[in-house]
Amino acid sequence: VRVTGQLINTRTDQHVWAQAYDRDLTDVFGIQAELSQAIATAMKTALSPEERALIAQRPTDNPAAYDLYLQARAVANRDGNTIAGRERRAKLLQGAIDLDPNFAQAWGDLADAYAYASFNEDDGKDALLAKARAAIDRAVKLAPENPDVIGSLGTYFYYGYRDYAKAVEQYERLARLQPNAPRIFNSL
């Protein structure tokens, strides 16, 4: 596969940096890590050891599980928090977890889907919260310091229980890890 990364100065429409990478598709995470490092270098940004470790982490070794996870994320982005979208998302995430029971981010996203569903549901709310709790407990057990899992924990508290203090605690923790990520500040 060929991946081309580009940085463009949006004020001037001037190309700042571009690089093409030809790699075997079986190592998509290696490509992501290499591209992240190259972009940071091009921007003259120093990555901390913690940031380098996060970039190097592979969320799963199962490409099929990762594909289902990405499909679930696409459903969330496209369909938002609709009933049909949540159901499709949960099904895709369950498929990812079935393929890799140690895929922490998939567990966290599954908790998100159930917590969102419980937010506006009266019928079946307790069952949805029980599923959300099981999923977030598993995600935290697998990867307590993973930024995606921390964000999911905040979402679990926010939407599952409307416990805004605990949600803010997690979102602020995430903001310290990823101070430039817009999702965090939207959540806050």
Side-chain angles (χ1 to χ4, degrees):
V1 66
R2 172 170 279 184
V3 176
T4 303
Q6 294 182 339
L7 293 178
I8 299 171
N9 182 332
T10 58
R11 292 184 188 135
T12 64
D13 202 30
Q14 180 180 14
H15 284 262
V16 176
W17 171 86
Q19 181 71 41
Y21 298 86
D22 293 313
R23 299 292 185 270
D24 185 356
L25 189 55
T26 60
D27 191 20
V28 69
F29 303 117
I31 295 169
Q32 288 177 345
E34 187 176 344
L35 189 58
S36 297
Q37 180 60 51
I39 291 170
T41 300
M43 293 179 69
K44 298 177 177 65
T45 301
L47 296 177
S48 70
E50 294 83 11
E51 290 168 323
R52 287 181 192 274
L54 283 172
I55 288 170
Q57 284 179 355
R58 293 173 179 260
T60 179
D61 290 323
N62 188 315
Y66 193 64
D67 184 55
L68 291 171
Y69 171 76
L70 293 177
Q71 287 180 49
R73 286 248 164 135
V75 167
N77 290 332
R78 183 182 60 243
D79 298 340
N81 195 21
T82 64
I83 293 170
R86 285 192 310 262
E87 289 173 356
R88 174 127 174 82
R89 183 177 173 205
K91 183 177 179 180
L92 289 164
L93 290 165
Q94 187 60 56
I97 291 163
D98 289 344
L99 292 172
D100 182 357
N102 295 318
F103 191 172
Q105 289 95 322
W107 282 107
D109 274 19
L110 185 60
D112 288 354
Y114 289 134
Y116 286 134
S118 75
F119 190 74
N120 293 319
E121 297 289 325
D122 289 325
D123 294 334
K125 182 175 182 138
D126 291 338
L128 290 167
L129 286 174
K131 289 179 181 182
R133 178 63 178 199
I136 199 63
D137 284 351
R138 177 74 174 168
V140 170
K141 182 178 179 184
L142 289 168
E145 301 303 318
N146 180 288
D148 288 333
V149 171
I150 294 167
S152 291
L153 186 57
T155 298
Y156 167 76
F157 286 126
Y158 186 102
Y159 289 96
Y161 293 96
R162 296 183 175 135
D163 187 336
Y164 304 124
K166 285 184 181 177
V168 165
E169 182 181 316
Q170 296 307 313
Y171 293 143
E172 287 178 342
R173 181 176 163 212
L174 186 55
R176 287 189 295 277
L177 290 172
Q178 297 178 328
N180 296 316
R183 171 186 162 209
I184 300 158
F185 299 100
N186 182 52
S187 297
L188 282 168

